[in-house]
Amino acid sequence: MKKLFVDLGKNSYDIIFERGLLSHVGDYIKLDGKKLLVMTDDNVAGIYADAVVSSLEKAGYEASLLVLPHGEKTKSFDILPAVYARLLKERITRKDALVALGGGVIGDLCGFVAATYLRGIPFVQIPTSLLAQVDSSIGGKVAVDLPEGKNLVGAFWQPKLVLVDPDALNTLSDAFFTDGMAEVIKYGCIKDKKLFDLLDACGGKSGLMPVIDEVIYRCCDIKREVVEKDEKDKGERMLLNFGHTYGHALEKYYNFEKLSHGMAVSVGMYEICRLAEEKGLTEKGTAETVARVCSAYGLPHTDDAPCRKVVEGVANDKKNLGDKLVTVLLKKIGESYLYPTDAEFFA
Ligand code: GLY
């Protein structure tokens, strides 16, 4: 077992890493309340829900299960009344807690419900996808989508505990693994050349799997450090959006149907490096290096969408609702900085 402590004052919590942890989560969850509602999706439920619920019962909790359809549509604002109704039916009180068992969609939705139900109740994150393990389960950004865009209604609501079982990746499809790799590569790009070089040297998923525990731990440690410095996303934390400005616009351009989040971020990382290199803001050769590592993990770095059309969406990104657009550039691999600009930068 390995552990990280996210130091956020009264909102601090542990991240625990252990292979096989999903079979005995009850050993780690120490909460005052008696009732736990486990929220999951219909893909994850069949694999892990029984083990998680029975481990929680063995630990003395009254555990119930809410299984939702898999996929981004589940994170919509419209689903909330039905979810709150279920919590009320289970007589979940402020002393009780929710458990998010699944990927980013379940983690974000469950966290948002925890943040808002009865003005806020505790929740635990048990991320089962690579993206959720290295990124979305940590740092307390929780949200649901509106028809106008993703994550437009949300909160900062930290979990009480994050439980990471790298064995969960064995049941993850290659497509979802690839999706999560964009965030892993992002961490190397913005903060850790050694991590980036390791990803490069592994040359792809099969080379990476023997060291995946170490890689997940390192990504979480980077995120821990960034979130501790800037919990509310006003400065340093924005570095985690490297590749995301263009990436989000591209996802939206295709109505979230053609490219996964990871694929769009991968294109975004390459594009921003290419453009910044042209303007002398990033070390020459960086874009090609990013492209090489992304493609080793099955991620695209280019797309046919007309840049100008995509860029129109940049202006509507929720991070850019004001006049100013702050984008993330690399000085070189492993070193990032915030760069105030406008949508024209991408044209
Ligand atoms: N996923 C970006 C953040 O947590 O700030």
Side-chain angles (χ1 to χ4, degrees):
M1 190 267 270
K2 279 178 94 169
K3 203 196 263 198
L4 283 171
F5 178 67
V6 186
D7 188 354
L8 293 169
K10 64 178 176 32
N11 295 328
S12 299
Y13 51 95
D14 287 327
I15 309 171
I16 290 172
F17 305 83
E18 188 191 294
R19 282 190 179 267
L21 177 156
L22 275 159
S23 63
H24 63 110
V25 295
D27 294 345
Y28 289 114
I29 300 180
K30 308 275 175 231
L31 296 169
D32 298 335
K34 238 170 77 149
K35 286 187 194 168
L36 295 178
L37 182 125
V38 180
M39 213 181 279
T40 191
D41 73 32
D42 52 4
N43 277 342
V44 175
I47 318 173
Y48 301 116
D50 284 352
V52 167
V53 168
S54 68
S55 167
L56 294 173
E57 286 173 345
K58 217 171 119 202
Y61 293 104
E62 264 176 50
S64 53
L65 187 65
L66 173 56
V67 182
L68 297 165
H70 64 275
E72 185 73 27
K73 283 202 172 77
T74 287
K75 229 180 89 176
S76 96
F77 186 78
D78 298 343
I79 202 170
L80 292 171
V83 175
Y84 295 133
R86 175 65 193 277
L87 268 60
L88 289 166
K89 192 167 164 235
E90 298 288 343
R91 299 191 165 275
I92 301 285
T93 70
R94 267 198 200 138
K95 279 193 292 181
D96 302 316
L98 305 182
V99 176
L101 172 68
V105 165
I106 288 296
D108 283 10
L109 171 69
C110 181
F112 182 79
V113 170
T116 49
Y117 177 73
L118 303 180
R119 297 202 177 89
I121 67 170
F123 86 116
V124 172
Q125 287 271 21
I126 309 181
T128 56
S129 71
L130 180 60
L131 186 142
Q133 291 189 346
V134 299
D135 183 17
S136 58
S137 67
I138 306 155
K141 273 193 189 175
V142 296
V144 290
D145 303 337
L146 292 179
E148 290 85 350
K150 281 170 73 169
N151 298 326
L152 288 176
V153 179
F156 290 97
W157 190 251
Q158 300 294 341
K160 293 288 169 206
L161 177 71
V162 182
L163 296 175
V164 177
D165 182 348
D167 276 349
L169 302 182
N170 297 334
T171 58
L172 195 67
S173 69
D174 279 347
F176 275 104
F177 186 87
T178 301
D179 196 38
M181 276 311 296
E183 303 293 344
V184 174
I185 295 166
K186 175 195 80 180
Y187 284 114
C189 288
I190 62 168
K191 286 274 176 193
D192 191 340
K193 181 163 185 330
K194 235 169 105 185
L195 171 64
F196 188 92
D197 289 344
L198 174 67
L199 302 175
D200 196 7
C202 289
K205 185 179 176 185
S206 57
L208 180 71
M209 284 318 272
V211 290
I212 193 73
D213 299 28
E214 187 191 318
V215 168
I216 294 170
Y217 182 87
R218 182 64 196 129
C219 293
C220 290
D221 201 22
I222 296 171
K223 180 132 190 197
R224 173 201 62 74
E225 203 184 332
V226 170
V227 169
E228 281 179 356
K229 282 191 194 139
D230 176 26
E231 184 187 354
K232 298 283 163 73
D233 206 11
K234 294 194 165 104
E236 173 96 0
R237 187 165 179 171
M238 289 192 235
L239 295 176
L240 299 174
N241 292 329
F242 172 59
H244 283 58
T245 304
Y246 192 84
H248 279 157
L250 196 54
E251 273 186 281
K252 186 125 198 262
Y253 176 80
Y254 287 120
N255 210 13
F256 302 98
E257 277 162 14
K258 183 184 162 192
L259 297 176
S260 70
H261 177 70
M263 289 160 99
V265 166
S266 174
V267 175
M269 292 193 292
Y270 171 77
E271 279 299 325
I272 195 75
C273 289
R274 188 183 64 76
L275 291 164
E277 269 180 49
E278 274 173 17
K279 299 173 198 333
L281 296 164
T282 291
E283 186 177 89
K284 286 241 173 296
T286 305
E288 286 316 313
T289 308
V290 170
R292 183 181 70 236
V293 175
C294 286
S295 71
Y297 291 91
L299 288 159
H301 63 279
T302 54
D303 185 82
D304 298 335
C307 210
R308 184 148 281 282
K309 283 253 165 247
V310 176
V311 168
E312 283 168 17
V314 168
N316 295 327
D317 190 293
K318 81 169 180 301
K319 287 154 192 107
N320 310 320
L321 287 177
D323 308 338
K324 273 197 251 134
L325 167 63
V326 177
T327 194
V328 183
L329 303 184
L330 301 188
K331 193 168 164 219
K332 54 187 179 181
I333 298 290
E335 274 184 48
S336 50
Y337 63 106
L338 298 176
Y339 185 76
T341 182
D342 53 33
E344 282 306 303
F345 183 91
F346 294 85

